Structure formats: structure tokens, C-alpha cells
Amino acid sequence: MAQLLVENITLTFGGVAALSSVSLAVEEGELVSVIGPNGAGKTSLLNCISGFYHPQRGRILFEGHEITRASPHEVTRLGIARAFQNIELFSGLTVLENLLLARSWRGIGSTFWKTLTCRSSTWGWPKGADARASRR
Ligand SMILES: Nc1ncnc2c1ncn2[C@@H]1O[C@H](COP(=O)(O)OP(=O)(O)O)[C@@H](O)[C@H]1O
Ligand SMILES: [Mg+2]
């Protein structure tokens, strides 16, 4: 079974359908990109997965747990972390340290961070990762 399963979710705001029967399956260790023009529903999809919005129809499962109606802190506890489009950076930290803050509270054991750490020890951190973060 996929690690993350989104099944036919529909999210509407009044008369606006942000998501219309959207489905998605992500296997463990798989990287999936969601692309689309402004207003296509990318952020709404992430908001549903991370518990900020709750779809009116469909369901979302993470590692077999239904999280369709879960709140952000419950979703986080299960191991889902997200970054935001409009970010607030900690200017005293490096780019990498800011990224690490989005790490799941299950810690460095998550597949993504294991992969990132492993690749970086082989090829080095991406250029600029150790620079201080700033808005510019
Ligand atoms: N909180 C909200 N209230 C009303 N409409 C919203 C809200 N969030 C998103 N929408 C609408 O849902 C649609 C999808 O938006 P969004 O998910 O932000 O798209 P994307 O991230 O792909 O640009 C748009 O029509 C947007 O105006
Ligand atoms: Mg967006």
C-alpha cells in the first residue's frame, strides 16, 4: 500500500472548487511533484494533506491511518512535515538549518532526511546551504 494515499478529494470554498476529485499515491522513498498554474489547487492539496483544510469529500491515508479530518499537530505527529510558500526565515540560521526545521518530529530517521544526509556526505551540501538565510 502507498505510504500516502489521497483518494478523490473535493474541496470547495462557497462556489469555488479548489479540488475536484483529486487522487494521488506516493510510495515510501518516492519523490512526487505537483505542478499546475496559479489557482490550480496545489496549495489546497498540501493544506488538506497537512490538516489545515479538510476536504468535503474523499479521504486521505498516511501509513494506513486516515487523516482526512486530522488537525495539523496530529498529522505532524504521524511524521508529515511541510514547508510554506510564504516563508518566515530565521536569519540567524543557515539555509540548511532553516530547511531542517521542517523536519518531521520523528527526526532524522525519515526517508527524506536520510537520503539528503547520505547524498550530502557523498557529494557535499548544495551550494549556499551553509550561508546565512535572508529574505534577499
Ligand atoms: N482559503 C480560501 N478561501 C477561498 N478560496 C480559496 C482559499 N484557498 C484557496 N482558494 C481558491 O482555491 C483555488 C485553488 O487555489 P490554490 O490551492 O491556492 O492554488 P495554487 O496553489 O495551485 O495556486 C483558487 O481558486 C483559490 O482562489
Ligand atoms: Mg500555491
Side-chain angles (χ1 to χ4, degrees), residues 49-52 62 67 70-82 101-107:
I49 294 169
S50 52
F52 289 88
F62 182 69
I67 57 166
S71 56
H73 75 273
E74 291 168 328
V75 169
T76 303
R77 226 175 252 156
L78 289 173
I80 293 179
R82 73 170 286 188
L101 285 173
R103 209 170 28 171
S104 144
W105 88 324
R106 288 201 305 201

PDB file of all heavy atoms in Angstrom, residues 49-52 62 67 70-82 101-107:
ATOM      1  N   ILE A  49      -3.542  17.704   2.974  1.00  0.00           N
ATOM      2  CA  ILE A  49      -2.669  16.629   3.475  1.00  0.00           C
ATOM      3  C   ILE A  49      -2.107  16.989   4.845  1.00  0.00           C
ATOM      4  O   ILE A  49      -1.975  16.139   5.723  1.00  0.00           O
ATOM      5  CB  ILE A  49      -1.521  16.356   2.466  1.00  0.00           C
ATOM      6  CG1 ILE A  49      -2.093  15.783   1.171  1.00  0.00           C
ATOM      7  CG2 ILE A  49      -0.483  15.402   3.058  1.00  0.00           C
ATOM      8  CD1 ILE A  49      -1.106  15.726   0.011  1.00  0.00           C
ATOM      9  N   SER A  50      -1.817  18.280   5.059  1.00  0.00           N
ATOM     10  CA  SER A  50      -1.205  18.669   6.335  1.00  0.00           C
ATOM     11  C   SER A  50      -2.229  19.105   7.387  1.00  0.00           C
ATOM     12  O   SER A  50      -1.858  19.548   8.462  1.00  0.00           O
ATOM     13  CB  SER A  50      -0.155  19.765   6.108  1.00  0.00           C
ATOM     14  OG  SER A  50      -0.700  20.835   5.378  1.00  0.00           O
ATOM     15  N   GLY A  51      -3.509  18.953   7.087  1.00  0.00           N
ATOM     16  CA  GLY A  51      -4.550  19.157   8.103  1.00  0.00           C
ATOM     17  C   GLY A  51      -5.028  20.586   8.279  1.00  0.00           C
ATOM     18  O   GLY A  51      -5.794  20.873   9.197  1.00  0.00           O
ATOM     19  N   PHE A  52      -4.574  21.506   7.423  1.00  0.00           N
ATOM     20  CA  PHE A  52      -5.037  22.898   7.540  1.00  0.00           C
ATOM     21  C   PHE A  52      -6.435  23.061   6.956  1.00  0.00           C
ATOM     22  O   PHE A  52      -7.219  23.876   7.428  1.00  0.00           O
ATOM     23  CB  PHE A  52      -4.047  23.854   6.854  1.00  0.00           C
ATOM     24  CG  PHE A  52      -2.761  23.994   7.607  1.00  0.00           C
ATOM     25  CD1 PHE A  52      -1.708  23.119   7.374  1.00  0.00           C
ATOM     26  CD2 PHE A  52      -2.617  24.968   8.578  1.00  0.00           C
ATOM     27  CE1 PHE A  52      -0.523  23.231   8.091  1.00  0.00           C
ATOM     28  CE2 PHE A  52      -1.437  25.092   9.292  1.00  0.00           C
ATOM     29  CZ  PHE A  52      -0.387  24.218   9.049  1.00  0.00           C
ATOM     30  N   PHE A  62      -2.381   8.080   5.562  1.00  0.00           N
ATOM     31  CA  PHE A  62      -0.926   8.096   5.683  1.00  0.00           C
ATOM     32  C   PHE A  62      -0.509   6.891   6.504  1.00  0.00           C
ATOM     33  O   PHE A  62      -0.934   6.740   7.657  1.00  0.00           O
ATOM     34  CB  PHE A  62      -0.442   9.392   6.345  1.00  0.00           C
ATOM     35  CG  PHE A  62       1.066   9.476   6.449  1.00  0.00           C
ATOM     36  CD1 PHE A  62       1.851   9.624   5.320  1.00  0.00           C
ATOM     37  CD2 PHE A  62       1.694   9.385   7.682  1.00  0.00           C
ATOM     38  CE1 PHE A  62       3.235   9.678   5.401  1.00  0.00           C
ATOM     39  CE2 PHE A  62       3.081   9.449   7.786  1.00  0.00           C
ATOM     40  CZ  PHE A  62       3.847   9.599   6.641  1.00  0.00           C
ATOM     41  N   ILE A  67      -6.311  10.361   7.802  1.00  0.00           N
ATOM     42  CA  ILE A  67      -6.002  11.696   8.329  1.00  0.00           C
ATOM     43  C   ILE A  67      -6.886  12.769   7.689  1.00  0.00           C
ATOM     44  O   ILE A  67      -6.586  13.958   7.790  1.00  0.00           O
ATOM     45  CB  ILE A  67      -4.507  12.059   8.122  1.00  0.00           C
ATOM     46  CG1 ILE A  67      -4.115  11.976   6.641  1.00  0.00           C
ATOM     47  CG2 ILE A  67      -3.607  11.174   8.959  1.00  0.00           C
ATOM     48  CD1 ILE A  67      -2.773  12.643   6.335  1.00  0.00           C
ATOM     49  N   ALA A  70      -7.911  15.034  10.363  1.00  0.00           N
ATOM     50  CA  ALA A  70      -6.918  15.273  11.420  1.00  0.00           C
ATOM     51  C   ALA A  70      -6.462  16.731  11.413  1.00  0.00           C
ATOM     52  O   ALA A  70      -6.508  17.406  10.392  1.00  0.00           O
ATOM     53  CB  ALA A  70      -5.721  14.357  11.217  1.00  0.00           C
ATOM     54  N   SER A  71      -6.038  17.207  12.580  1.00  0.00           N
ATOM     55  CA  SER A  71      -5.541  18.581  12.679  1.00  0.00           C
ATOM     56  C   SER A  71      -4.034  18.590  12.383  1.00  0.00           C
ATOM     57  O   SER A  71      -3.386  17.531  12.401  1.00  0.00           O
ATOM     58  CB  SER A  71      -5.827  19.137  14.072  1.00  0.00           C
ATOM     59  OG  SER A  71      -5.261  18.270  15.018  1.00  0.00           O
ATOM     60  N   PRO A  72      -3.474  19.779  12.110  1.00  0.00           N
ATOM     61  CA  PRO A  72      -2.046  19.837  11.751  1.00  0.00           C
ATOM     62  C   PRO A  72      -1.134  19.154  12.774  1.00  0.00           C
ATOM     63  O   PRO A  72      -0.192  18.453  12.406  1.00  0.00           O
ATOM     64  CB  PRO A  72      -1.768  21.341  11.671  1.00  0.00           C
ATOM     65  CG  PRO A  72      -3.080  21.929  11.278  1.00  0.00           C
ATOM     66  CD  PRO A  72      -4.117  21.098  11.984  1.00  0.00           C
ATOM     67  N   HIS A  73      -1.412  19.330  14.084  1.00  0.00           N
ATOM     68  CA  HIS A  73      -0.487  18.730  15.057  1.00  0.00           C
ATOM     69  C   HIS A  73      -0.595  17.201  15.069  1.00  0.00           C
ATOM     70  O   HIS A  73       0.393  16.502  15.295  1.00  0.00           O
ATOM     71  CB  HIS A  73      -0.686  19.324  16.457  1.00  0.00           C
ATOM     72  CG  HIS A  73      -1.913  18.849  17.186  1.00  0.00           C
ATOM     73  ND1 HIS A  73      -3.136  19.445  17.031  1.00  0.00           N
ATOM     74  CD2 HIS A  73      -2.094  17.832  18.056  1.00  0.00           C
ATOM     75  CE1 HIS A  73      -4.029  18.812  17.792  1.00  0.00           C
ATOM     76  NE2 HIS A  73      -3.416  17.832  18.417  1.00  0.00           N
ATOM     77  N   GLU A  74      -1.789  16.682  14.760  1.00  0.00           N
ATOM     78  CA  GLU A  74      -1.935  15.214  14.701  1.00  0.00           C
ATOM     79  C   GLU A  74      -1.199  14.650  13.482  1.00  0.00           C
ATOM     80  O   GLU A  74      -0.545  13.610  13.559  1.00  0.00           O
ATOM     81  CB  GLU A  74      -3.423  14.837  14.638  1.00  0.00           C
ATOM     82  CG  GLU A  74      -4.150  15.126  15.931  1.00  0.00           C
ATOM     83  CD  GLU A  74      -5.674  15.049  15.809  1.00  0.00           C
ATOM     84  OE1 GLU A  74      -6.216  15.364  14.720  1.00  0.00           O
ATOM     85  OE2 GLU A  74      -6.312  14.687  16.805  1.00  0.00           O
ATOM     86  N   VAL A  75      -1.312  15.375  12.368  1.00  0.00           N
ATOM     87  CA  VAL A  75      -0.633  14.953  11.140  1.00  0.00           C
ATOM     88  C   VAL A  75       0.889  14.996  11.341  1.00  0.00           C
ATOM     89  O   VAL A  75       1.618  14.093  10.933  1.00  0.00           O
ATOM     90  CB  VAL A  75      -1.073  15.893   9.989  1.00  0.00           C
ATOM     91  CG1 VAL A  75      -0.222  15.700   8.763  1.00  0.00           C
ATOM     92  CG2 VAL A  75      -2.540  15.668   9.654  1.00  0.00           C
ATOM     93  N   THR A  76       1.356  16.038  12.001  1.00  0.00           N
ATOM     94  CA  THR A  76       2.797  16.178  12.274  1.00  0.00           C
ATOM     95  C   THR A  76       3.301  15.014  13.100  1.00  0.00           C
ATOM     96  O   THR A  76       4.358  14.449  12.838  1.00  0.00           O
ATOM     97  CB  THR A  76       3.062  17.494  13.048  1.00  0.00           C
ATOM     98  OG1 THR A  76       2.540  18.569  12.272  1.00  0.00           O
ATOM     99  CG2 THR A  76       4.530  17.707  13.289  1.00  0.00           C
ATOM    100  N   ARG A  77       2.502  14.629  14.103  1.00  0.00           N
ATOM    101  CA  ARG A  77       2.886  13.534  14.987  1.00  0.00           C
ATOM    102  C   ARG A  77       3.061  12.223  14.216  1.00  0.00           C
ATOM    103  O   ARG A  77       3.860  11.374  14.587  1.00  0.00           O
ATOM    104  CB  ARG A  77       1.809  13.365  16.060  1.00  0.00           C
ATOM    105  CG  ARG A  77       2.399  13.222  17.425  1.00  0.00           C
ATOM    106  CD  ARG A  77       1.326  13.184  18.468  1.00  0.00           C
ATOM    107  NE  ARG A  77       1.317  14.431  19.217  1.00  0.00           N
ATOM    108  CZ  ARG A  77       0.270  14.908  19.863  1.00  0.00           C
ATOM    109  NH1 ARG A  77      -0.870  14.257  19.849  1.00  0.00           N
ATOM    110  NH2 ARG A  77       0.359  16.024  20.537  1.00  0.00           N
ATOM    111  N   LEU A  78       2.296  12.079  13.138  1.00  0.00           N
ATOM    112  CA  LEU A  78       2.399  10.856  12.340  1.00  0.00           C
ATOM    113  C   LEU A  78       3.636  10.863  11.435  1.00  0.00           C
ATOM    114  O   LEU A  78       4.002   9.844  10.865  1.00  0.00           O
ATOM    115  CB  LEU A  78       1.143  10.661  11.480  1.00  0.00           C
ATOM    116  CG  LEU A  78      -0.125  10.271  12.237  1.00  0.00           C
ATOM    117  CD1 LEU A  78      -1.321  10.271  11.295  1.00  0.00           C
ATOM    118  CD2 LEU A  78       0.033   8.904  12.888  1.00  0.00           C
ATOM    119  N   GLY A  79       4.263  12.042  11.291  1.00  0.00           N
ATOM    120  CA  GLY A  79       5.503  12.080  10.514  1.00  0.00           C
ATOM    121  C   GLY A  79       5.441  12.898   9.247  1.00  0.00           C
ATOM    122  O   GLY A  79       6.357  12.849   8.428  1.00  0.00           O
ATOM    123  N   ILE A  80       4.366  13.680   9.058  1.00  0.00           N
ATOM    124  CA  ILE A  80       4.282  14.532   7.869  1.00  0.00           C
ATOM    125  C   ILE A  80       4.770  15.932   8.239  1.00  0.00           C
ATOM    126  O   ILE A  80       4.344  16.499   9.240  1.00  0.00           O
ATOM    127  CB  ILE A  80       2.822  14.610   7.357  1.00  0.00           C
ATOM    128  CG1 ILE A  80       2.396  13.233   6.846  1.00  0.00           C
ATOM    129  CG2 ILE A  80       2.692  15.660   6.258  1.00  0.00           C
ATOM    130  CD1 ILE A  80       0.965  13.178   6.334  1.00  0.00           C
ATOM    131  N   ALA A  81       5.688  16.462   7.431  1.00  0.00           N
ATOM    132  CA  ALA A  81       6.166  17.837   7.648  1.00  0.00           C
ATOM    133  C   ALA A  81       5.985  18.606   6.355  1.00  0.00           C
ATOM    134  O   ALA A  81       5.965  18.028   5.278  1.00  0.00           O
ATOM    135  CB  ALA A  81       7.641  17.830   8.055  1.00  0.00           C
ATOM    136  N   ARG A  82       5.830  19.908   6.468  1.00  0.00           N
ATOM    137  CA  ARG A  82       5.687  20.700   5.244  1.00  0.00           C
ATOM    138  C   ARG A  82       6.424  22.026   5.377  1.00  0.00           C
ATOM    139  O   ARG A  82       6.707  22.477   6.491  1.00  0.00           O
ATOM    140  CB  ARG A  82       4.210  20.965   4.939  1.00  0.00           C
ATOM    141  CG  ARG A  82       3.584  21.968   5.871  1.00  0.00           C
ATOM    142  CD  ARG A  82       2.222  22.396   5.424  1.00  0.00           C
ATOM    143  NE  ARG A  82       2.258  23.293   4.284  1.00  0.00           N
ATOM    144  CZ  ARG A  82       1.195  23.925   3.804  1.00  0.00           C
ATOM    145  NH1 ARG A  82       0.020  23.721   4.357  1.00  0.00           N
ATOM    146  NH2 ARG A  82       1.304  24.736   2.793  1.00  0.00           N
ATOM    147  N   LEU A 101      14.458  22.711   9.980  1.00  0.00           N
ATOM    148  CA  LEU A 101      13.362  22.988  10.911  1.00  0.00           C
ATOM    149  C   LEU A 101      12.057  22.350  10.449  1.00  0.00           C
ATOM    150  O   LEU A 101      11.158  22.102  11.252  1.00  0.00           O
ATOM    151  CB  LEU A 101      13.160  24.501  11.058  1.00  0.00           C
ATOM    152  CG  LEU A 101      14.211  25.208  11.897  1.00  0.00           C
ATOM    153  CD1 LEU A 101      13.997  26.705  11.826  1.00  0.00           C
ATOM    154  CD2 LEU A 101      14.141  24.744  13.340  1.00  0.00           C
ATOM    155  N   ALA A 102      11.944  22.096   9.137  1.00  0.00           N
ATOM    156  CA  ALA A 102      10.723  21.492   8.610  1.00  0.00           C
ATOM    157  C   ALA A 102      10.721  19.981   8.794  1.00  0.00           C
ATOM    158  O   ALA A 102       9.763  19.310   8.439  1.00  0.00           O
ATOM    159  CB  ALA A 102      10.570  21.828   7.127  1.00  0.00           C
ATOM    160  N   ARG A 103      11.826  19.471   9.366  1.00  0.00           N
ATOM    161  CA  ARG A 103      11.950  18.038   9.576  1.00  0.00           C
ATOM    162  C   ARG A 103      10.805  17.518  10.434  1.00  0.00           C
ATOM    163  O   ARG A 103      10.335  18.178  11.333  1.00  0.00           O
ATOM    164  CB  ARG A 103      13.264  17.795  10.324  1.00  0.00           C
ATOM    165  CG  ARG A 103      13.899  16.513  10.064  1.00  0.00           C
ATOM    166  CD  ARG A 103      15.266  16.503  10.659  1.00  0.00           C
ATOM    167  NE  ARG A 103      15.391  17.380  11.835  1.00  0.00           N
ATOM    168  CZ  ARG A 103      16.459  17.393  12.614  1.00  0.00           C
ATOM    169  NH1 ARG A 103      17.471  16.623  12.350  1.00  0.00           N
ATOM    170  NH2 ARG A 103      16.534  18.199  13.648  1.00  0.00           N
ATOM    171  N   SER A 104      10.386  16.319  10.107  1.00  0.00           N
ATOM    172  CA  SER A 104       9.354  15.684  10.910  1.00  0.00           C
ATOM    173  C   SER A 104       9.842  15.518  12.346  1.00  0.00           C
ATOM    174  O   SER A 104      11.023  15.309  12.574  1.00  0.00           O
ATOM    175  CB  SER A 104       9.055  14.314  10.310  1.00  0.00           C
ATOM    176  OG  SER A 104       8.778  13.396  11.317  1.00  0.00           O
ATOM    177  N   TRP A 105       8.955  15.579  13.319  1.00  0.00           N
ATOM    178  CA  TRP A 105       9.397  15.435  14.713  1.00  0.00           C
ATOM    179  C   TRP A 105       9.823  14.000  15.006  1.00  0.00           C
ATOM    180  O   TRP A 105      10.370  13.698  16.036  1.00  0.00           O
ATOM    181  CB  TRP A 105       8.321  15.952  15.688  1.00  0.00           C
ATOM    182  CG  TRP A 105       7.302  14.956  16.099  1.00  0.00           C
ATOM    183  CD1 TRP A 105       6.760  13.957  15.344  1.00  0.00           C
ATOM    184  CD2 TRP A 105       6.713  14.834  17.385  1.00  0.00           C
ATOM    185  NE1 TRP A 105       5.848  13.256  16.053  1.00  0.00           N
ATOM    186  CE2 TRP A 105       5.797  13.767  17.323  1.00  0.00           C
ATOM    187  CE3 TRP A 105       6.856  15.549  18.588  1.00  0.00           C
ATOM    188  CZ2 TRP A 105       5.033  13.386  18.421  1.00  0.00           C
ATOM    189  CZ3 TRP A 105       6.093  15.158  19.673  1.00  0.00           C
ATOM    190  CH2 TRP A 105       5.196  14.094  19.567  1.00  0.00           C
ATOM    191  N   ARG A 106       9.574  13.078  14.024  1.00  0.00           N
ATOM    192  CA  ARG A 106      10.100  11.730  14.191  1.00  0.00           C
ATOM    193  C   ARG A 106      11.612  11.728  13.966  1.00  0.00           C
ATOM    194  O   ARG A 106      12.271  10.729  14.157  1.00  0.00           O
ATOM    195  CB  ARG A 106       9.427  10.766  13.219  1.00  0.00           C
ATOM    196  CG  ARG A 106       8.001  10.494  13.611  1.00  0.00           C
ATOM    197  CD  ARG A 106       7.476   9.222  13.016  1.00  0.00           C
ATOM    198  NE  ARG A 106       7.632   9.201  11.562  1.00  0.00           N
ATOM    199  CZ  ARG A 106       6.912   8.425  10.783  1.00  0.00           C
ATOM    200  NH1 ARG A 106       5.989   7.635  11.281  1.00  0.00           N
ATOM    201  NH2 ARG A 106       7.105   8.431   9.487  1.00  0.00           N
ATOM    202  N   GLY A 107      12.114  12.905  13.527  1.00  0.00           N
ATOM    203  CA  GLY A 107      13.555  13.083  13.499  1.00  0.00           C
ATOM    204  C   GLY A 107      14.230  12.654  12.227  1.00  0.00           C
ATOM    205  O   GLY A 107      13.626  12.442  11.193  1.00  0.00           O
TER     206      GLY A 107
END
